[in-house]
Amino acid sequence: MNRKILLLTVLMAAAPGLATSASVYKWTDENGVTHFGDRQPTGRNAEQVNVRSGTSQGAGVQRRSAQEQLDELQEQQAAEQQQREESAVEEARRKQREANCGTARSNLQVINRNARIRVEENGETRYLSPEEIEQQRQKFQEIADENCGPEQEGSSER
């Protein structure tokens, strides 16, 4: 009696494994209809389907290795880092343009308000001539025009 119980127990334990090891095939006919069967069709490409997980193993299906997935992840992270660096450079450029604009406008206001402008050169103080004032006005106007308007493509910063 013990032998029968032991044999029955072994058979019951092995039965689910034997049942799930049966192959299921998936294929598509000429009309585009997908079929499933326990035998591989002759003359057709068929994928072997894992019934437990729902995944298929066919000639057209290739899984990426862990190294390929890691390489792709590293490439993606490198691209994201480069994009963050580019946006940081753009932000720094924008802030520099704003600062240049503010300085140029402030200098233009000073030039337009004062008839005489005093400068210090080599430790000596002197007043700018009307021609020098006009040159400075033009210089600051160019800087304001360059930095206060919308940013143009290919413009270089000073």
Side-chain angles (χ1 to χ4, degrees):
M1 178 91 166
N2 284 340
R3 278 189 162 177
K4 289 181 181 179
I5 293 175
L6 181 61
L7 181 63
L8 183 61
T9 304
V10 169
L11 284 175
M12 289 190 65
L18 294 173
T20 59
S21 67
S23 297
V24 175
Y25 296 93
K26 172 184 169 184
W27 70 94
T28 305
D29 67 11
E30 60 275 351
N31 296 325
V33 178
T34 302
H35 298 275
F36 293 90
D38 60 349
R39 287 179 278 165
Q40 186 171 6
T42 55
R44 296 196 185 278
N45 284 341
E47 296 179 66
Q48 187 174 3
V49 179
N50 184 341
V51 179
R52 281 188 174 242
S53 67
T55 60
S56 62
Q57 302 170 344
V61 178
Q62 292 182 346
R63 294 188 180 257
R64 295 182 308 168
S65 70
Q67 184 63 42
E68 290 172 331
Q69 291 176 354
L70 178 63
D71 291 343
E72 183 181 326
L73 179 62
Q74 288 174 342
E75 287 175 11
Q76 182 181 3
Q77 288 174 341
E80 289 172 356
Q81 178 65 25
Q82 182 178 2
Q83 185 177 7
R84 282 192 298 269
E85 288 172 2
E86 288 173 358
S87 63
V89 167
E90 289 299 317
E91 179 69 16
R93 182 175 291 138
R94 183 186 62 77
K95 287 181 179 181
Q96 184 63 47
R97 281 178 47 86
E98 288 175 0
N100 291 348
C101 176
T103 302
R105 284 186 174 167
S106 173
N107 289 340
L108 278 172
Q109 286 177 349
V110 169
I111 286 177
N112 290 331
R113 272 189 298 180
N114 297 325
R116 296 178 62 183
I117 298 178
R118 185 176 52 194
V119 294
E120 188 173 315
E121 294 177 342
N122 301 326
E124 295 183 14
T125 302
R126 72 174 186 88
Y127 289 98
L128 292 180
S129 68
E131 294 82 24
E132 291 173 320
I133 291 174
E134 187 57 34
Q135 287 175 347
Q136 290 295 317
R137 180 180 288 122
Q138 288 175 356
K139 175 183 157 188
F140 293 136
Q141 186 62 49
E142 287 174 10
I143 293 172
D145 291 344
E146 182 179 318
N147 290 284
C148 295
E151 187 170 359
Q152 299 171 0
E153 286 295 317
S155 66
S156 61
E157 301 299 319
R158 291 186 181 224

